[in-house]
Amino acid sequence: DTGVSQDPRHKITKRGQNVTFRCDPISEHNRLYWYRQTLGQGPEFLTYFQNEAQLEKSRLLSDRFSAERPKGSFSTLEIQRTEQGDSAMYLCASSLMSGLDSPLHFGNGTRLTVT
Amino acid sequence: DQQVKQNSPSLSVQEGRISILNCDYTNSMFDYFLWYKKYPAEGPTFLISISSIKDKNEDGRFTVFLNKSAKHLSLHIVPSQPGDSAVYFCAASGGFGNEKLTFGTGTRLTIIP
C-alpha cells in the first residue's frame, strides 16, 4: 500500500490558463474522490468515481472543471480558464467501496495558485 | 449553510491530559460520522468513525461519542501526546457509508509538553 499519490504537489499558473492534476489511488480501491480545500475551511466534495463511472458531481464543479478516470485507475482533474477563486488545495481520495469499514484515504494534495 | 460545525478553531491541552474536540451537525439525514487528522502539508488521515446505530466507538486512545438527539459528536483523546498536535476535522455523510463527506472547518489541537 503506497497510498494515494497526487501530481504535481504545487502549481502556479496565470489567470486564464488551463491546468491538469493527476491522482493515482491505492491500487485495489475502486472509488476515487476529488475534494477542494480553501484556507480555514474543511475539504469540500467535488466529484467521485466508481471504477470509470462518474457517479456524482457537486454544484461547485462549474463547466470549467472536468474530471476523468478513463480506465478505472488514475484520474485527472482539469480546470480550464483558471480564475483567482480557483486557488485552493485539491485533494484526491480513494476507498475500497462504500461502507463503514472503508474510510477515504487522502493524498497530500495539489496546491494551486492562480495569479 | 454549514451543515457540520466545529465551533472551536483551536484548543490547547497539557500532555497526558484528555483532549475533547466537539462537532455539531444540522442535517438529520447524516448517519455516518468520521474524524480525520491533518498535519501541515499532508492530506487528512482517517482516525475513527461511528455509525448512527451506535453512541460510542473506541480505538486505543481515541473514543468518539455520538448524541443523535443533540446532533452532537465528540472525540476524546486520552492521554494526549505531543504527536497529537494537528488539525482535526469532523465529517459526516448521509449515505450508506462514505459517499460525499461533508467536513467541518477543523479544530487545531496543540499539546503542550
Side-chain angles (χ1 to χ4, degrees), chain A residues 19-23 32-35 45-49 51-58 61-71 74-80 90-92:
Chain A
V19 294
T20 300
F21 310 140
R22 177 180 169 121
C23 172
L32 186 148
Y33 305 77
W34 286 99
Y35 281 78
F45 170 80
L46 292 179
T47 187
Y48 85 97
F49 294 82
N51 299 313
E52 64 275 9
Q54 189 172 17
L55 295 188
E56 189 168 350
K57 290 170 59 171
S58 164
L61 219 62
S62 76
D63 291 345
R64 298 184 296 105
F65 289 70
S66 62
E68 293 183 345
R69 193 183 183 197
K71 296 183 180 178
F74 74 91
S75 175
T76 58
L77 178 68
E78 181 184 14
I79 309 174
Q80 296 183 326
Y90 290 83
L91 293 163
C92 177

Side-chain angles (χ1 to χ4, degrees), chain A residues 9 35 56 98 102 104 107-108, chain B residues 32 36 41 43 98-101:
Chain A
R9 289 296 306 274
Y35 281 78
E56 189 168 350
S98 174
S102 185
L104 273 63
N108 288 331
Chain B
Y32 179 48
Y36 279 82
N98 53 17
E99 296 90 351
K100 195 177 168 181
L101 293 179

